[in-house]
Amino acid sequence: MYNAKAYAAASATSPLASSTIPRRDPTEHDVQIQILFCGICHSDLHTVRNEWASFSPTVYPCTPGHEIVGRVTRVGSAVTKYKAGDLVAVGCMVDSDGTCAECKAGLEQFCPNLTLTYNAPDKHTGRVTYGGYSDSIVVNEHFVLRVPTNLDLAGTAPLLCAGITTYSPLHRWKVTKGQKVGVVGLGGLGHMGVKFAHALGAHVVVFTTSPSKTEDALRLCANEVVVSKNANEMQKHEGSFDFILDTVSANHDINAYLKLLRRDGNLTLVGAPEKPLAVDAFSLLLGRRSLSGSPIGGIPETQEMLDFCAINNITADVEVIPIQKVNEAYERLLKSDVKYRFSIDMASLT
Ligand code: NAP
Ligand code: ZN
């Protein structure tokens, strides 16, 4: 074991502060990574403040971060995919059983023995896992992704969660050219959803509560922008969408969006608000519409997404910050004031 530099929260009401965390020395299948950038996902904030207590209570101290890009510093004796110096990435998962049907299908996110990158029981240490707000991490090579060399590293980090979480449902629901696709919420996930839906050839409509984001949404290649507080504007789109991706992090009225789906249309929730959302049965049954959810994506699909980004020149729009500004960044996330992902430059962690 060794001590890594990190930022950690001591309780649900404490700010993140400089600390150290224990990491294991790489075992034979492990890759040790010097972390260069780590994106700030709203899930980090939900976890640090114990907002998901009913799903997964937070164990303190908590070091979040699951949008990790870095350079390999050391590999275990049995590692075949990576060598020191390689540019690599780690997302929301660091381990799984590797033997169940889900793992065999490359859908590790559904493995019953999945280990998440932070706040999950750590088989190696007997404690919890600690995420990417740190100078290094040690991960089984199966959960390490290859970073295409043409991508900007600060903007690549968010692809590991915001990217795959929006890419995966767009493919699962077979979004293609000419379809009408809605993206609700223009934050970290939402802005990636717009980029991917546009790249797939869809007609993209952004729903936002922030009128000031209209210009940015159009720059990100949305075809239309609807300020969701405007009931008239919303009504114009009733019954017209093939697919809607809901990325909202807080309580909101999803019936207002279900009604916008055409017959057999689907709304997929990727946002994970603290409290349950109320669903009006009529919003679903009148158009035989469906409501579903989607968690991140499997390892093969995550690599596919990174390669898709390399070909289509897609990265997240980031505001690079030093780690000392992380608490300020959290407050801005809560005010929907992020353009459109914070990416922590880990060189600031000294
Ligand atoms: P984010 O950057 O904070 O974006 C969320 C956006 O939601 C905001 O920018 C805002 O967009 C909108 N919003 C916020 N509060 C709202 C409210 N009260 N009513 C309506 N709209 C509101 O967050 P993120 O990192 O993209 O994450 C979004 C959610 O997805 C979080 O709950 C996160 O935990 C979850 N998540 C899920 C997965 C998964 O696997 N399914 C993965 C990662 C994250 P506008 O200003 O445009 O309205
Ligand atoms: Zn995330």
Side-chain angles (χ1 to χ4, degrees):
M1 300 285 287
Y2 70 100
N3 280 329
K5 286 182 196 153
Y7 259 51
S11 78
T13 51
S14 317
L16 288 145
S18 180
S19 176
T20 58
I21 49 172
R23 298 279 194 205
R24 66 180 182 270
D25 287 316
T27 65
E28 57 177 353
H29 292 286
D30 286 336
V31 174
Q32 185 182 44
I33 300 161
Q34 177 201 358
I35 300 177
L36 300 175
F37 291 96
C38 184
I40 297 181
C41 178
H42 207 113
S43 305
D44 302 352
L45 188 157
H46 289 306
T47 304
V48 161
R49 303 202 175 168
N50 203 17
E51 290 173 358
W52 289 343
S54 58
F55 154 69
S56 163
T58 304
V59 176
Y60 296 94
C62 171
T63 292
H66 56 205
E67 296 185 333
I68 299 166
V69 162
R71 198 175 283 286
V72 174
T73 46
R74 204 155 43 124
V75 297
S77 58
V79 167
T80 57
K81 283 165 63 188
Y82 301 102
K83 58 178 189 324
D86 288 351
L87 278 177
V88 293
V90 177
C92 303
M93 309 182 284
V94 289
D95 206 358
S96 68
D97 61 29
T99 55
C100 71
E102 306 290 10
C103 286
K104 285 187 176 150
L107 296 169
E108 296 86 349
Q109 73 272 37
F110 302 116
C111 172
N113 299 305
L114 175 68
T115 305
L116 293 170
T117 304
Y118 59 79
N119 197 43
D122 187 330
K123 287 182 218 163
H124 297 268
T125 64
R127 304 170 63 147
V128 287
T129 50
Y130 298 111
Y133 297 8
S134 169
D135 61 359
S136 73
I137 192 165
V138 177
V139 180
N140 181 299
E141 70 168 324
H142 181 75
F143 291 87
V144 177
L145 288 307
R146 188 170 295 283
V147 174
T149 50
N150 63 324
L151 296 178
D152 166 67
L153 293 184
T156 296
L159 301 178
L160 278 299
C161 177
I164 185 60
T165 300
T166 50
Y167 180 92
S168 184
L170 289 169
H171 281 85
R172 164 79 180 76
W173 290 94
K174 299 189 170 57
V175 166
T176 53
K177 205 172 159 62
Q179 287 190 334
K180 188 170 172 186
V181 169
V183 176
V184 188
L186 195 65
L189 267 59
H191 95 291
M192 290 312 306
V194 172
K195 291 185 184 208
F196 287 136
H198 171 75
L200 293 170
H203 179 93
V204 186
V205 182
V206 166
F207 294 94
T208 180
T209 57
S210 312
S212 61
K213 292 182 184 172
T214 302
E215 249 176 62
D216 281 345
L218 296 172
R219 180 180 52 79
L220 291 164
C221 293
N223 300 89
E224 298 178 59
V225 184
V226 174
V227 176
S228 51
K229 292 167 189 158
N230 183 332
N232 271 348
E233 283 272 304
M234 292 289 283
Q235 205 182 7
K236 280 189 210 154
H237 291 273
E238 249 174 47
S240 66
F241 281 88
D242 297 283
F243 180 76
I244 296 177
L245 189 66
D246 184 335
T247 76
V248 176
S249 53
N251 195 22
H252 62 292
D253 177 16
I254 52 165
N255 303 298
Y257 298 100
L258 289 170
K259 280 195 290 194
L260 305 188
L261 293 169
R262 63 159 174 75
R263 171 172 57 75
D264 292 330
N266 171 268
L267 184 149
T268 292
L269 283 176
V270 286
E274 181 178 1
K275 301 213 170 73
L277 297 168
V279 179
D280 176 356
F282 289 101
S283 316
L284 286 176
L285 59 87
L286 288 181
R288 203 167 59 186
R289 298 159 177 138
S290 66
L291 169 63
S292 55
S294 185
I296 49 175
I299 292 297
E301 195 178 35
T302 306
Q303 189 64 61
E304 176 191 308
M305 178 271 312
L306 287 170
D307 297 341
F308 179 89
C309 288
I311 292 165
N312 292 281
N313 211 12
I314 291 175
T315 51
D317 287 23
V318 290
E319 181 174 337
V320 177
I321 59 163
I323 197 153
Q324 292 75 14
K325 290 214 165 160
V326 66
N327 296 302
E328 200 181 300
Y330 277 26
E331 291 313 309
R332 286 181 53 194
L333 262 191
L334 286 174
K335 288 189 247 159
S336 303
D337 174 24
V338 47
K339 297 208 160 115
Y340 278 85
R341 199 57 143 185
F342 293 110
S343 188
I344 304 167
D345 181 352
M346 225 39 88
S348 60
L349 183 61
T350 52

